Amino acid sequence: TAARYLGADILSGFTVSNLLYDKPWWIVTDIHGNTIRARHLILTMGAFFGDVGNFDELTDMFTRKRMQYMATKPLETRLPPFAIMDVDGTNSIRSHQERVIYGMDANDEDIADLKNNQSTLNVMKGRLTYRLHCAHDTELQPEFTWSRNILATPDGLPIIAHFESLPNIYLNMGYNEHSLSYQMIGGRIIAGLVKNGQYDIPGSKIFSMERMQ
């Protein structure tokens, strides 16, 4: 909403297939051949870089982590927004309307070898009720589970920086399940880098690429 208010166009279903730099523009092409031009690009990619550019050096900065998620059945009342997560991102609990969403490391020994969806749900329900100090007969009943890959850095902090190997490319990724904590400051940092070419928020250089070298 804020982006639209400032005049930005929001494109949905735009799957990028190619990036080409034609100074001073980046030409972004989608899988249907549609193109857009931009002076600056902010990469907020998730777990897959794909074949859209020369980002080989980024693969050494991130590790892919498999996360398993569980959603409870809708509760009787809509929940206020909240999020609880471990520092390393291995466990996260958040509200989503009338549901509670619980995420945990899919390589955790308690669920890594489980093939049965119901068994996974039972283990995750036990973890969730323990962490929220609920009784096991609570109304927090699991409904479905899914998994996905996320990008993580060795120190657990995202990279919010100018990607110096390519002109006018900025990175805002590797949030390791902490996007709720960092996304607002991430937007402000990127805006300062694009506008002023430097970290203009005190302490924000902690998110630079230099710490990974």
Side-chain angles (χ1 to χ4, degrees):
T1 301
R4 288 192 176 97
Y5 178 79
L6 294 173
D9 292 327
I10 308 298
L11 303 179
S12 60
F14 193 93
T15 303
V16 177
S17 63
N18 187 58
L19 297 177
L20 174 67
Y21 187 63
D22 185 14
K23 188 176 182 179
W25 300 99
W26 278 99
I27 311 299
V28 185
T29 305
D30 76 351
I31 57 176
H32 302 295
N34 302 309
T35 62
I36 58 175
R37 296 194 307 166
R39 289 186 179 272
H40 302 273
L41 285 183
I42 303 169
L43 303 184
T44 58
M45 293 177 291
F48 304 100
F49 294 110
D51 300 318
V52 297
N54 183 23
F55 304 117
D56 292 342
E57 65 185 273
L58 294 182
T59 59
D60 296 329
M61 300 182 186
F62 298 99
T63 57
R64 291 182 182 179
K65 184 165 67 175
R66 192 74 176 171
M67 294 292 293
Q68 188 77 30
Y69 298 92
M70 179 195 75
T72 67
K73 294 180 179 179
L75 306 179
E76 293 183 359
T77 58
R78 188 184 182 97
L79 296 170
F82 73 85
I84 308 168
M85 54 195 69
D86 294 345
V87 173
D88 60 2
T90 54
N91 287 273
S92 64
I93 304 171
R94 67 193 67 183
S95 62
H96 179 68
Q97 299 178 357
E98 295 86 11
R99 300 179 186 271
V100 176
I101 309 296
Y102 175 51
M104 63 183 290
D105 190 339
N107 293 317
D108 187 287
E109 60 182 9
D110 286 344
I111 65 169
D113 297 325
L114 294 179
K115 305 301 182 183
N116 183 281
N117 187 57
Q118 188 59 49
S119 298
T120 302
L121 285 174
N122 290 338
V123 171
M124 297 187 74
K125 179 192 175 183
R127 290 282 193 93
L128 177 61
T129 53
Y130 173 78
R131 286 178 171 271
L132 291 182
H133 304 287
C134 299
H136 274 265
D137 59 354
T138 179
E139 59 178 331
L140 294 179
Q141 299 298 324
E143 184 172 20
F144 57 90
T145 181
W146 72 97
S147 62
R148 71 182 179 99
N149 288 327
I150 66 170
L151 284 183
T153 58
D155 60 8
L157 293 176
I159 292 180
I160 309 172
H162 176 221
F163 187 44
E164 296 182 356
S165 298
L166 294 170
N168 297 340
I169 292 275
Y170 302 86
L171 306 179
N172 189 15
M173 60 178 65
Y175 278 73
N176 194 24
E177 288 290 90
H178 290 282
S179 58
L180 291 175
S181 302
Y182 297 122
Q183 62 184 354
M184 294 299 293
I185 189 67
R188 291 185 59 192
I189 292 172
I190 291 293
L193 290 172
V194 172
K195 184 178 180 180
N196 304 315
Q198 60 184 7
Y199 291 91
D200 53 7
I201 299 176
S204 59
K205 201 170 183 179
I206 191 175
F207 301 113
S208 72
M209 293 179 64
E210 295 177 5
R211 76 181 198 276
M212 311 297 293
Q213 299 172 353

